[in-house]
Amino acid sequence: MESIEHRTVEVNGIKMHVAEKGEGAVVLFLHGFPELWYSWRHQILALSSLGYRAVAPDLRGYGDTEAPSTVNSYTCFHLVGDIIALIDSLGVDKVFLVAHDWGAIIGWYLCLFRPDRIKAYVCLSVPFRPFLGRNPKQKTVDFFHSLYGDDYYICRFQEPGKMEAEMAGVDTAYLMKNILTTRKTGPPTFPKGEYGTGFNPVTPDTLPSWISQEDLDYYVTKFNKTGFSGGLNYYRNLNLNWELTAPWTGAGIVDVPVKFITGGVDLVYTSPGMKEYIHNGGFKKDVPTLEEVVVQEGVAHFNNQEAAEDVSNHIYDFIKKF
């Protein structure tokens, strides 16, 4: 990865670390939880070799980007503001957007609020709903209880410090291996009381072929330094985001061409109601510009790493049309 360049830019009142490589039209990659720019290492190399300028930041609260201490510094408007400022710093009017997990949610907000800055959007794992102001009166705990059936789970996320304390009781290397290698279908849930086996009740002794010990060590080094509060604060703003986005209730994505890619055993795709929403017309109704849905059979949540070459090819095949 030595050929990837790194720099720090001032965006929206914080210092943001950015990794980039290549020249040409900008492809902007947004990572999820608990990840870093590094999650896009394969796509950065692939797209830059095809004539694009691949750019991947550490998002607010992650890695070498600043992490404001207050919970309400992580609303959807802060996150979108960071990315708009980053695009401005790149000296371009529009970018191709590629995003995964929480990055995908930010991507939907970008397409909703600032479609004038997005040429096309390749979304991984998280479709348009259920996070985006669909019903501003709906509370996070109500949504998660209906999906997960466990109030205690979301209460631990919502209370600052509680989830961090439980995660701190587990070795970071084990925790990252546990999350990144999970193939458990359905919504992500934690056992009550303590982190325990977390996302993955059968954490493997050896790493799968798509992630090396060096890769894992990179994540561990960064999260040992920063902790997980920044990423957890994204979840803690779901209620506030619903209130802030009330003016967009009922609005869809109508100006940005979209391609959606998910793993067949992705924990979001296999959550209650998601397959029906994606394939039975709901997704297309909310996103009339949705052009293609790709399901990668046998692939789990972190498909940009597990099926890296396939994801890179799908990205290129879509954005080369524009």
Side-chain angles (χ1 to χ4, degrees):
M1 300 296 166
E2 293 81 4
S3 60
I4 296 175
E5 298 179 354
H6 298 266
R7 60 192 179 95
T8 299
V9 296
E10 295 273 353
V11 299
N12 197 25
I14 64 170
K15 294 180 180 179
M16 173 174 277
H17 166 248
V18 177
E20 64 179 315
K21 181 178 173 62
E23 297 180 357
V26 173
V27 184
L28 179 59
F29 296 92
L30 306 182
H31 67 77
F33 175 86
E35 299 178 85
L36 302 162
W37 76 268
Y38 192 80
S39 301
W40 300 108
R41 57 198 179 279
H42 303 295
Q43 286 76 33
I44 291 173
L45 297 178
L47 271 296
S48 63
S49 72
L50 293 168
Y52 293 91
R53 181 184 179 187
V55 178
D58 284 333
L59 295 176
R60 173 179 292 238
Y62 285 91
D64 294 318
T65 292
E66 282 191 297
S69 59
T70 57
V71 172
N72 63 2
S73 295
Y74 294 82
T75 71
C76 58
F77 290 132
H78 289 88
L79 303 175
V80 170
D82 294 346
I83 302 307
I84 293 299
L86 174 59
I87 295 172
D88 288 341
S89 77
L90 298 174
V92 297
D93 293 327
K94 292 188 174 186
V95 299
F96 292 111
L97 183 65
V98 182
H100 172 258
D101 189 80
W102 250 104
I105 298 172
I106 299 170
W108 291 122
Y109 283 129
L110 278 161
C111 293
L112 196 62
F113 302 154
R114 296 300 306 270
D116 58 305
R117 307 306 299 271
I118 310 300
K119 292 180 183 178
Y121 180 29
V122 179
C123 175
L124 277 61
S125 179
V126 181
F128 185 66
R129 77 162 195 180
F131 298 97
L132 303 178
R134 313 310 298 154
N135 179 0
K137 295 182 180 179
Q138 176 79 14
K139 295 298 184 182
T140 306
V141 70
D142 296 334
F143 164 72
F144 275 96
H145 184 261
S146 67
L147 191 60
Y148 303 124
D150 185 356
D151 275 345
Y152 190 82
Y153 167 84
I154 193 62
C155 287
R156 286 186 290 150
F157 263 88
Q158 290 295 90
E159 183 181 336
K162 191 172 184 68
M163 195 66 192
E164 288 92 329
E166 294 186 15
M167 296 174 82
V170 181
D171 178 72
T172 305
Y174 169 81
L175 190 152
M176 292 303 301
K177 181 192 291 187
N178 175 276
I179 295 174
L180 291 173
T181 63
T182 186
R183 305 192 74 76
K184 180 180 179 293
T185 56
T189 56
F190 294 99
K192 290 186 178 182
E194 53 187 55
Y195 185 84
T197 56
F199 280 100
N200 189 356
V202 288
T203 303
D205 293 329
T206 58
L207 292 169
S209 60
W210 53 267
I211 185 168
S212 69
Q213 186 61 50
E214 181 182 5
D215 297 331
L216 185 66
D217 289 345
Y218 186 89
Y219 288 111
V220 171
T221 298
K222 295 301 181 182
F223 281 105
N224 274 338
K225 174 185 173 184
T226 65
F228 293 89
S229 289
L232 292 174
N233 284 339
Y234 288 45
Y235 295 92
R236 292 176 177 133
N237 277 282
L238 283 173
N239 279 343
L240 181 55
N241 287 343
W242 269 324
E243 296 174 9
L244 293 173
T245 57
W248 289 271
T249 300
I253 305 300
V254 296
D255 297 313
V256 179
V258 174
K259 180 174 185 173
F260 179 72
I261 309 171
T262 186
V265 291
D266 184 294
L267 50 81
V268 177
Y269 181 65
T270 54
S271 291
M274 284 295 176
K275 290 182 182 180
E276 292 78 7
Y277 172 74
I278 290 168
H279 297 294
N280 294 351
F283 194 8
K284 181 68 173 178
K285 181 179 179 181
D286 286 340
V287 185
T289 53
L290 177 66
E291 296 190 10
E292 186 177 0
V293 171
V294 176
V295 179
Q296 299 169 305
E297 295 301 328
V299 176
H301 181 62
F302 297 96
N303 56 337
N304 53 340
Q305 299 181 76
E306 180 181 346
E309 184 176 359
D310 191 46
V311 166
S312 296
N313 289 338
H314 277 298
I315 293 168
Y316 177 66
D317 287 344
F318 187 60
I319 67 175
K320 70 181 182 182
K321 300 186 297 183
F322 303 98

